[in-house]
Amino acid sequence: GKPQTLAWFEAAFFIGMVLGSAVVGRLKIVRPGLSFIFGLAGCGLTVVAMAYSRTFWPYFLWNLAAGLAVPFSWIPMPSYVQATVPDEFRGRVNAVLNMAQMGVQPLGMGVAGILIDRIGLMNMFFLMGFGMVGACMTGLASRSFVRARMPASASPPEGTPEPAIA
């Protein structure tokens, strides 16, 4: 019930994202669509697991796991867009994606507040988590999204030294 508890949970998510980003940055992800689908679905499953977390440590660890899963979707997809969208359209495509994300966030927060009042916090975790998984799984219906392959030019050339992690 203290603000520090929320700060620890957010820190766990952030730490997971930093560690996950370091891992994903070293991987050669060839199928960005599948990485997006399964990265966010994995995050959704951690949200479901948070509903069962009644004490600090399980909830902290599920936040850490969620943070580890997110980079598997957030890093390959922008890399794919940058590698495949022609230069003259890339800025517009990125702007549309960013505006859609910024527009949906406040809408989601407002609806979530109403739903928490109506269905309760634990049920909201189920709804959010299974909603994420379900939404991600619809991506499997798009053959072009699933079959999309990262262009070879998007990977560092062979023999390129590993980037130093500061």
Side-chain angles (χ1 to χ4, degrees):
K2 296 180 181 179
Q4 296 88 327
T5 305
L6 179 60
W8 278 111
F9 295 150
E10 291 297 322
F13 184 76
F14 175 76
I15 291 165
M17 282 187 50
V18 169
L19 295 175
S21 296
V23 169
V24 172
R26 295 180 181 273
L27 296 177
K28 182 178 180 180
I29 294 178
V30 178
R31 309 279 290 279
L34 287 176
S35 187
F36 181 84
I37 290 167
F38 291 114
L40 283 184
C43 183
L45 291 175
T46 66
V47 172
V48 171
M50 287 178 206
Y52 294 104
S53 302
R54 302 282 188 227
T55 60
F56 179 88
W57 286 109
Y59 196 86
F60 180 91
L61 293 172
W62 285 121
N63 268 285
L64 182 70
L68 288 168
V70 166
F72 283 89
S73 61
W74 284 7
I75 293 174
M77 283 311 296
S79 298
Y80 178 76
V81 168
Q82 289 175 6
T84 59
V85 174
D87 290 344
E88 60 271 14
F89 298 110
R90 192 174 305 128
R92 285 179 267 182
V93 169
N94 284 328
V96 167
L97 292 172
N98 286 334
M99 288 304 297
Q101 179 183 358
M102 289 189 316
V104 169
Q105 283 179 344
L107 178 64
M109 289 179 206
V111 170
I114 294 167
L115 286 174
I116 287 171
D117 280 345
R118 294 202 175 144
I119 66 173
L121 185 58
M122 184 172 175
N123 289 330
M124 190 63 190
F125 275 99
F126 289 127
L127 183 63
M128 288 186 305
F130 286 127
M132 283 179 72
V133 172
C136 292
M137 293 299 118
T138 62
L140 293 173
S142 171
R143 286 188 175 161
S144 60
F145 189 66
V146 169
R147 291 181 179 167
R149 298 184 73 78
M150 191 72 74
S153 62
S155 301
E158 291 295 323
T160 302
E162 291 286 332
I165 298 175

